[in-house]
Amino acid sequence: METTSESKIPKLLETYEADLLAAWSQQLAATNPRKGSLEAAELQEECREFLKLLRRAVQRGNMTDIQTAEWQEVRGLLASVSRTRSQRGFTPSETAHFVFSFKQPLFDRLQQDLQDPAELGREIWQATTLLDGLGLLTVEAYQKAREEVIARQQEELMELSTPVVKLWEGILALPIIGTLDSARTQVVMESLLQKIVETGSEVAIIDITGVPTVDTLTAQHLLKTVTAARLMGADCFISGIRPQIAQTIVYLGIDLTNVITKATLADAFMLALKRVGTTIARTQP
């Protein structure tokens, strides 16, 4: 671990903080890739806060391990900056530029204050290592923020792609489009059961016309949903059994003998109407 007595950087940051801030802010304002997304005043405040926290951290004697408690405030600020930039459409390199751009004003100040080439080289190397680590930290925080957004969007799309529709009094339909995996099965099951409770429906139709393929795992997920619906007191039909899917089910030896299946949603709907004691008659023109 480096100590404050072995490096001139802590003293330099304390003595020339205002000058460094002015030079850095001016440089960032000139090279800001998203001027419409980041106001000059906001950028100035971010620079000021970063320099303040950086000065505090290095004065505590640790300039090599930014994962320690001394750097917690700096890590928190950079995470916040990275999240904000990811939300505004910045790229990872544009986000990391916030830290990397501080090298130039810091190196210029080191060259002005240090005359010994060997000492200057050591200090520049130490500053480079430190700022590179902090810059990579912003990239990691940026990536984490983007992954959180993507995961949230996937959850929202999953919920939107499994709507439970009320076809008739006492009859629900759940059209499924796309692959049915374990995570989606949980969403499907929760949506269907919640709707059964809300409407008091007697019949639920799960339509798999939009499911491209049915394998053993998909069939197991369907059976779990059917069983859960039955436990809630609702009959559950499966519609959309196309010829190729029927052949696949037979080939895989999947047992659907206890489940009512129909080729089309219309066929399943007609059967559901009978189950609830409703008939439809064509009116005379």
Side-chain angles (χ1 to χ4, degrees):
M1 177 184 295
E2 300 286 349
T3 63
T4 55
S5 61
E6 295 173 338
S7 174
K8 300 295 189 297
I9 294 176
K11 183 64 176 177
L12 184 145
L13 290 176
E14 181 179 7
T15 304
Y16 300 104
E17 183 174 353
D19 295 339
L20 288 169
L21 176 60
W24 185 29
S25 299
Q26 183 177 3
Q27 178 181 331
L28 271 178
T31 59
N32 181 10
R34 308 269 180 164
K35 293 184 179 181
S37 302
L38 195 62
E39 298 295 334
E42 183 180 1
L43 185 61
Q44 175 84 5
E45 183 59 31
E46 288 176 347
C47 293
R48 181 182 292 105
E49 185 67 14
F50 175 78
L51 269 182
K52 181 182 71 175
L53 297 179
L54 178 65
R55 173 175 52 79
R56 289 179 183 175
V58 297
Q59 286 176 343
R60 291 167 183 166
N62 177 11
M63 292 182 57
T64 58
D65 188 359
I66 60 175
Q67 298 300 327
T68 56
E70 299 97 320
W71 292 90
Q72 182 176 354
E73 291 181 319
V74 177
R75 294 196 305 270
L77 173 65
L78 292 180
S80 176
V81 168
S82 299
R83 281 194 301 271
T84 301
R85 279 161 170 68
S86 70
Q87 294 168 357
R88 297 181 181 181
F90 282 67
T91 66
S93 59
E94 289 171 346
T95 301
H97 179 69
F98 173 73
V99 173
F100 291 148
S101 62
F102 183 58
K103 287 183 179 181
Q104 187 64 52
L106 180 59
F107 291 174
D108 289 345
R109 175 52 60 181
L110 285 169
Q111 289 177 327
Q112 293 176 27
D113 277 42
L114 301 179
Q115 304 302 319
D116 180 31
E119 184 181 25
L120 177 61
R122 286 195 301 270
E123 294 293 349
I124 288 180
W125 174 251
Q126 192 167 25
T128 298
T129 303
L130 175 61
L131 293 177
D132 283 351
L134 294 174
L136 291 176
L137 191 68
T138 64
V139 176
E140 294 174 359
Y142 175 96
Q143 185 64 29
K144 183 178 180 181
R146 295 298 297 170
E147 290 174 353
E148 291 173 352
V149 170
I150 292 172
R152 185 171 64 253
Q153 290 175 339
Q154 288 176 336
E155 291 177 0
E156 293 172 352
L157 286 174
M158 189 179 297
E159 293 175 357
L160 292 173
S161 65
T162 54
V164 181
V165 182
K166 184 176 180 179
L167 296 181
W168 201 270
E169 190 65 36
I171 302 175
L172 299 176
L174 175 60
I176 300 176
I177 300 175
T179 305
L180 191 63
D181 56 17
S182 299
R184 195 174 181 200
T185 299
Q186 187 65 30
V187 175
V188 166
M189 193 180 301
E190 291 176 358
S191 300
L192 182 59
L193 297 183
Q194 182 64 33
K195 202 68 174 180
I196 289 174
V197 172
E198 291 176 0
T199 62
S201 297
E202 304 172 38
V203 181
I205 304 171
I206 300 176
D207 184 71
I208 61 171
T209 304
V211 177
T213 58
V214 174
D215 54 17
T216 304
L217 188 60
T218 302
Q220 290 175 349
H221 293 325
L222 287 172
L223 289 174
K224 288 179 181 178
T225 305
V226 170
T227 301
R230 285 176 174 172
L231 289 174
M232 297 298 297
D235 287 333
C236 196
F237 308 155
I238 297 179
S239 65
I241 306 293
R242 305 187 302 278
Q244 57 269 36
I245 287 183
Q247 293 175 9
T248 302
I249 290 174
V250 172
Y251 177 77
L252 294 174
I254 300 170
D255 185 13
L256 294 179
T257 54
N258 294 325
V259 180
I260 297 175
T261 60
K262 291 294 180 181
T264 66
L265 177 59
D267 294 336
F269 181 51
M270 293 303 295
L271 180 59
L273 287 172
K274 293 180 181 179
R275 286 293 180 92
V276 298
T278 301
T279 57
I280 297 179
R282 188 184 299 274
T283 59
Q284 294 297 325

